[in-house]
């Protein structure tokens, strides 16, 4: 009996170890102490900065961040209400946001933090029977009171856009079409969801609030996600 | 030994359990993207229907409506000049999400919804 339990124990231990990565890990509390001490709750999502040539990338992210932050237990201030006002005030270009403007985000919207999202890379490639989409995004949560960065993370997501067909010709055509006309909204959404799931401490409305400080993520604050579609 | 085993199993379960039941979002984010991208009558109507579906399913499941969605719905009503209803949805948001109160007051002021 003890041998059986011992064997199960080894399997379970290996599963836990496999779940983690060989990359150096650190606890969320160690990496982001001020997320725990300041207890921010509300987040204003600034218009994403798009450094790529993908015209739709900005909208893919701005429309999917609200849900990803909400599911982590934060109060994201709705982008539809905010962006109209930012446009009228000449603040829609996130690059122009300075400390005074940050303070105003707290005064006028009640935001504890703003979320900066910078889309650094959006590369689509296709070769014979498979395609690939590689996205690199940098995220940062900045305090509206002090302009300090409370949380940041860099994510690279790789999505394989292959074909399920066994026929080589069909497979080539399918993957070429898939790469060219794919609706990439789910890719942006998944990138946000997985990044926040892996690296963002939970907010006050999450059931694990105050209990996740010992959870670990990459000490480098960088992660890679591989998605098969 | 059994205790260690239970602890490790609990660790796995803790790591795997996601907070899926916190809210019901349905496909509202995707519908919002389509409404922004296409900006035609159908895509906006689909987006509005997806918000209504979230309200209905959240009630059925006994969940709170996700943060911000009552404001999103109010914004659509404002565009339709249905100001009284918009004000009611803004009030709902402020009632269940205290963090929204500053934004709700700003929107009420901006669109002349103050009584």
């Amino acid at each position: 009996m003890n041998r059986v339990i011992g064997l199960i124990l080894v399997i379970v231990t290996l599963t836990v170890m496999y779940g983690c990565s060989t990359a150096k890990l650190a606890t969320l509390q160690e990496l982001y102490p001020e997320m725990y001490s300041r207890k921010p709750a509300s987040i204003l999502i600034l218009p994403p900065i798009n450094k790529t040539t993908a015209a739709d990338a900005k909208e893919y992210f701005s429309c999917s961040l609200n849900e990803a932050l909400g599911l982590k237990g934060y109060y994201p201030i709705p982008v539809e209400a905010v962006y109209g006002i930012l446009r009228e005030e000449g603040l829609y270009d996130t690059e122009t946001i300075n400390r005074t403007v940050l303070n105003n985000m707290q005064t006028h919207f009640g935001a504890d933090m703003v979320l900066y999202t910078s889309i650094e890379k959006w590369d689509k490639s296709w070769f014979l029977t498979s395609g690939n989409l590689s996205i690199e995004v940098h995220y940062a949560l900045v305090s509206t009171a002090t302009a300090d960065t409370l949380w940041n993370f860099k994510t690279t997501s790789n999505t394989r856009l292959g074909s399920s067909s066994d026929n080589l010709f069909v497979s080539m055509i399918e993957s070429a079409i898939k790469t060219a006309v794919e609706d990439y909204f789910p890719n942006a959404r998944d990138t946000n969801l997985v990044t926040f799931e892996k690296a963002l401490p939970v907010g006050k409305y999450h059931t694990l609030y105050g209990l996740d400080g010992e959870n670990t993520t990459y000490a480098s604050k960088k992660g890679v996600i591989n998605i098969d579609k | 030994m059994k205790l260690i085993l239970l602890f490790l199993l609990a660790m796995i379960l803790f790591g795997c359990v996601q907070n899926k039941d916190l809210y019901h979002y349905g496909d509202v984010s995707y519908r919002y993207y389509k409404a922004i991208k296409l900006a035609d009558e159908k895509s906006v109507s689909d987006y509005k229907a997806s918000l209504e579906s979230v309200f209905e399913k959240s009630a059925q499941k006994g969940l709170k409506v996700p943060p911000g969605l009552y404001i999103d719905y109010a914004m659509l009503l404002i565009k339709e000049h249905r100001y009284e209803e918009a004000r009611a949805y803004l009030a709902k948001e402020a009632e269940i999400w205290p963090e929204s109160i500053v934004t709700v007051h700003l929107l009420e002021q901006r669109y002349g919804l103050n009584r």
Side-chain angles (χ1 to χ4, degrees):
Chain A
M1 182 63 179
N2 275 349
R3 282 188 65 187
V4 175
I5 292 173
L7 187 63
I8 294 170
L9 191 62
V10 169
I11 293 167
V12 169
T13 309
L14 284 173
T15 310
V16 172
M17 288 170 71
Y18 185 73
C20 305
S21 158
T22 51
K24 196 177 171 198
L25 301 175
T27 68
L28 294 177
Q29 173 82 54
E30 287 166 347
L31 289 173
Y32 309 113
E34 290 184 289
M35 289 294 286
Y36 292 91
S37 59
R38 297 197 195 186
K39 304 186 189 322
S42 54
I43 301 173
L44 188 146
I45 300 163
L46 291 171
I49 298 164
N50 185 9
K51 295 183 179 174
T52 76
T53 53
D56 293 341
K58 191 167 179 162
E59 281 72 32
Y60 288 144
F61 277 88
S62 62
C63 297
S64 59
L65 283 163
N66 194 77
E67 179 179 346
L69 289 171
L71 288 171
K72 283 297 286 190
Y74 290 94
Y75 182 82
I77 300 165
V79 298
E80 180 64 19
V82 172
Y83 287 4
I85 296 170
L86 293 184
R87 276 196 192 94
E88 283 185 17
E89 299 296 326
L91 297 169
Y92 193 66
D93 289 326
T94 296
E95 292 90 338
T96 62
I97 305 288
N98 57 31
R99 187 169 180 154
T100 309
V101 177
L102 279 180
N103 291 158
N104 284 338
M105 302 290 187
Q106 187 180 43
T107 308
H108 298 297
F109 294 101
D112 297 328
M113 302 182 284
V114 294
L115 174 69
Y116 285 88
T117 314
S118 179
I119 307 155
E120 302 283 320
K121 191 172 93 172
W122 190 282
D123 287 345
K124 278 192 284 183
S125 58
W126 171 70
F127 184 71
L128 296 179
T129 59
S130 68
N132 187 69
L133 171 67
S134 183
I135 307 171
E136 186 182 328
V137 190
H138 296 182
Y139 303 86
L141 285 168
V142 174
S143 162
T144 53
T146 61
D148 294 333
T149 299
L150 306 184
W151 175 86
N152 62 318
F153 202 82
K154 295 177 182 176
T155 297
T156 301
S157 74
N158 297 305
T159 309
R160 198 178 71 82
L161 307 165
S163 163
S164 54
S165 173
D166 292 333
N167 182 306
L168 179 66
F169 182 71
V170 173
S171 180
M172 283 170 68
I173 301 290
E174 247 186 47
S175 62
I177 292 172
K178 211 171 175 181
T179 308
V181 304
E182 181 91 10
D183 184 342
Y184 292 111
F185 179 86
N187 300 75
R189 183 175 174 272
D190 290 348
T191 303
N192 296 330
L193 286 170
V194 176
T195 301
F196 296 159
E197 182 58 36
K198 297 289 177 200
L200 180 63
V202 300
K204 66 182 275 193
Y205 293 108
H206 198 284
T207 50
L208 297 177
Y209 183 55
L211 302 172
D212 67 339
E214 295 305 310
N215 287 4
T216 55
T217 192
Y218 301 112
S220 60
K221 300 182 181 177
K222 286 181 198 168
V224 177
I225 303 165
N226 292 308
I227 304 165
D228 244 9
K229 290 186 85 177
Chain B
M1 189 66 135
K2 282 181 186 170
L3 272 176
I4 295 169
L5 185 60
L6 275 173
F7 175 73
L8 285 168
L9 283 170
M11 272 179 69
I12 290 176
L13 287 171
F14 186 77
C16 294
V17 168
Q18 291 189 349
N19 211 37
K20 282 192 172 139
D21 289 328
L22 191 58
Y23 312 116
H24 170 79
Y25 274 95
D27 63 350
V28 77
S29 301
Y30 183 64
R31 292 291 156 209
Y32 175 53
Y33 162 70
K34 285 298 206 187
I36 294 291
K37 184 71 192 160
L38 304 173
D40 58 11
E41 203 175 314
K42 185 182 182 308
S43 63
V44 173
S45 165
D46 287 347
Y47 169 47
K48 195 174 173 196
S50 72
L51 284 166
E52 288 163 355
S53 169
V54 168
F55 301 159
E56 193 184 321
K57 289 202 172 126
S58 298
Q60 283 169 4
K61 293 179 177 182
L63 300 170
K64 278 167 109 173
V65 167
L69 297 199
Y70 280 139
I71 290 183
D72 285 336
Y73 196 71
M75 296 300 290
L76 290 173
L77 293 171
I78 287 168
K79 283 180 187 159
E80 294 172 10
H81 307 288
R82 293 162 62 183
Y83 299 113
E84 277 299 313
E85 291 164 81
R87 185 164 56 196
Y89 277 93
L90 289 177
K92 282 187 184 191
E93 179 82 9
E95 191 186 326
I96 63 168
W97 301 109
E99 290 80 9
S100 72
I101 289 173
V102 180
T103 302
V104 164
H105 286 165
L106 178 71
L107 294 171
E108 284 173 340
Q109 203 170 25
R110 183 179 170 79
Y111 295 105
L113 303 177
N114 291 328
R115 283 185 193 276

